[in-house]
Amino acid sequence: PTVASVTVTCNPTSLGTGQTSQCTATVQGTGSFSSAVTWSASAGTVSSAGLFTAPVVSQTTSATVTATSVQDGTKSGTAAVNVTPQVTVAVQPQTANVAANGMQQFTATVTGISNSGVLWRVVEPGGGAIDLSGIYVAPVNGGTFHVIAASASNPSVSDTGTITVTPTIVNLTPA
């Protein structure tokens, strides 16, 4: 019995940090050869059943999954799996109470990617303004408004802060 080749396929071939891909090894040969393989990966982990778990990465990385024939250790096959970082954005504070025309400093923490820049915006028209450094200026009128910080590298990833603006109450007394 002779092992001729080992081929590996993984599905899916692109993953985010911590996600899994099922890899399958096909062993070909002649006679009553063994189809058993051992698994290894250049990054992340792979189980004895071929389930690859992507590692934590800060930039897109290609991991190589290898299946090696148990019968003939010189025969192996590989498959590449692309791993992308898991990007998150966290806004602080999550909620704030601000007086009309008042100011509030917001911060945003970006993880999973080297570019920590964010793009700030106020959701509601007339809901105040926020500058590039996260300083929010409340409008004259009261209400509940929302600021969003979106990752500059991946704007689909964002977080939201909620602001309650308390209007200024002026009591007028007749002269």
Side-chain angles (χ1 to χ4, degrees):
T2 304
V3 172
S5 66
V6 178
T7 56
V8 177
T9 57
C10 296
N11 187 25
T13 57
S14 291
L15 303 171
T17 293
Q19 294 180 323
T20 59
S21 176
Q22 183 60 59
C23 299
T24 306
T26 303
V27 180
Q28 295 183 328
T30 57
S32 57
F33 64 90
S34 169
S35 60
V37 295
T38 57
W39 292 96
S40 61
S42 63
T45 60
V46 62
S47 73
S48 60
L51 186 65
F52 171 76
T53 301
V56 174
V57 296
S58 60
Q59 62 185 18
T60 300
T61 303
S62 181
T64 302
V65 178
T66 304
T68 303
S69 167
V70 170
Q71 179 178 321
D72 181 350
T74 66
K75 301 290 194 271
S76 63
T78 62
V81 179
N82 289 320
V83 181
T84 55
Q86 183 68 42
V87 179
T88 62
V89 176
V91 169
Q92 288 296 324
Q94 283 285 293
T95 60
N97 294 312
V98 181
N101 287 321
M103 296 172 65
Q104 172 68 49
Q105 174 71 60
F106 283 90
T107 60
T109 304
V110 179
T111 58
I113 197 162
S114 58
N115 181 355
S116 61
V118 295
L119 306 171
W120 289 100
R121 69 182 176 92
V122 178
V123 176
E124 296 81 6
I130 192 162
D131 69 13
L132 295 174
S133 62
I135 296 173
Y136 172 79
V137 178
V140 175
N141 52 326
T144 301
F145 305 103
H146 302 89
V147 294
I148 293 179
S151 165
S153 294
N154 185 354
S156 67
V157 178
S158 64
D159 193 25
T160 304
T162 303
I163 306 111
T164 301
V165 176
T166 307
T168 302
I169 297 172
V170 176
N171 290 322
L172 297 177
T173 54

